[in-house]
Amino acid sequence: MGKILTVSIAAYNVQDTIERALDSLLDSCINDDLEIFVVDDGGKDETLTIAKRYAEQYPNTEFPIHKDNGGYGSTINASLARATGKYFKQLDGDDWFLKENFIEFIEVLKHTDADCVISEVADYYAGSNEQRINEAHKNVPEGMHSFADIKFDSVITMHGTTIKTEILQKNNIRIIEHCFYSDTELVVLPMPYLNTFYMFKKAVYVYYIGAEGQSMSLGGIEKHYPDHEKVYWELVEAYNNIPKEETNKRNIVLMRLAKEAVYQFEFLCCLPVSSEHKKELMDFGKKIKRDYPEIYEATRNRRRMTRILWDTNFMAYPIIARRTREKYQNR
């Protein structure tokens, strides 16, 4: 039997956390089922050296890849080009899996033929060292389902989604490179090609929140917020490619688009108040309202902040911007 799961680890300068990530995957009862690519994206620390040490111990399971820096998406693309597992899952080098649930999860992957498997996610908060299961899909029972039959109440995330490798490769799914905030593409771009899913009710992925330098930190936002909008319009294009009659799949992506639009509003309001940043905010908001009425309504209904900005023709921008920046500073 071939590999059951390919795990792609984005490993740019994660020498302090890569062992935790790898140890959460490796276990004698499932090692033969795994194909783990540790993709060192042009890093400068000891990540690759650590990965090579693990490869010596697990030569048929763990495979270090060193490549020139191409950004987060390039690590996924590099692994997809090599992947042989039945399913494909992404893991960030500062996150990890819950091993006790992961072993059971591998058994599920062995016995299902769903296009993707959706699981819950655990959030770990660095400030308080608290781990909390984010039960996003309470309305969906364990087992096999069709996207045509199930309406989701929450967005489907990269952290909670595992996709059949053949679907990603056959449809040439490639994630945008040299760009931050591209993890959402791994879930949204394949959506037109996904028909069935298996719901695994336990958490597999642990998402580490609050690490210094993360893309969702204030510093990361200030540096990379244009990347978020660049990715956003690619997600919109993917939404437009889903047939109108596939309402549940469109709803899944629409929820994601509304959530990401709110993030873009917040990111622009995190920046120092200026006429330039106000213009960027207005241009983004007016384009959505003018060209994408469904997204406009979903975004407007998602957050009071977006309603106020639109309803005041962005006159409330200075007040909201200061409050939003304070919120991100205090995270």
Side-chain angles (χ1 to χ4, degrees), residues 22 29 74 93 114 117 123 147 150 155-156 164 174 178 184 186 191 217 222 227 231 261 269-270 295 318:
L22 287 168
C29 66
S74 74
V117 179
D123 294 329
F147 281 108
I150 298 290
V155 297
I156 296 175
K164 191 175 281 186
R174 286 184 59 81
H178 300 285
T184 52
L186 187 57
M191 188 56 67
S217 67
E222 289 176 334
D227 286 354
V231 170
C269 286
C270 275
I295 301 173

Side-chain angles (χ1 to χ4, degrees), residues 8-15 18 37-52 62-71 74-76 78-79:
S8 174
I9 303 181
Y12 178 74
N13 289 343
V14 290
Q15 64 178 18
I18 188 61
F37 293 116
V38 180
V39 188
D40 171 44
D41 190 37
K44 305 299 183 183
D45 67 358
E46 295 300 309
T47 298
L48 185 63
T49 301
I50 296 169
K52 287 180 177 178
E62 197 265 340
F63 308 97
I65 299 173
H66 178 73
K67 54 181 286 299
D68 292 338
N69 184 264
S74 74
T75 68
I76 299 175
S79 294

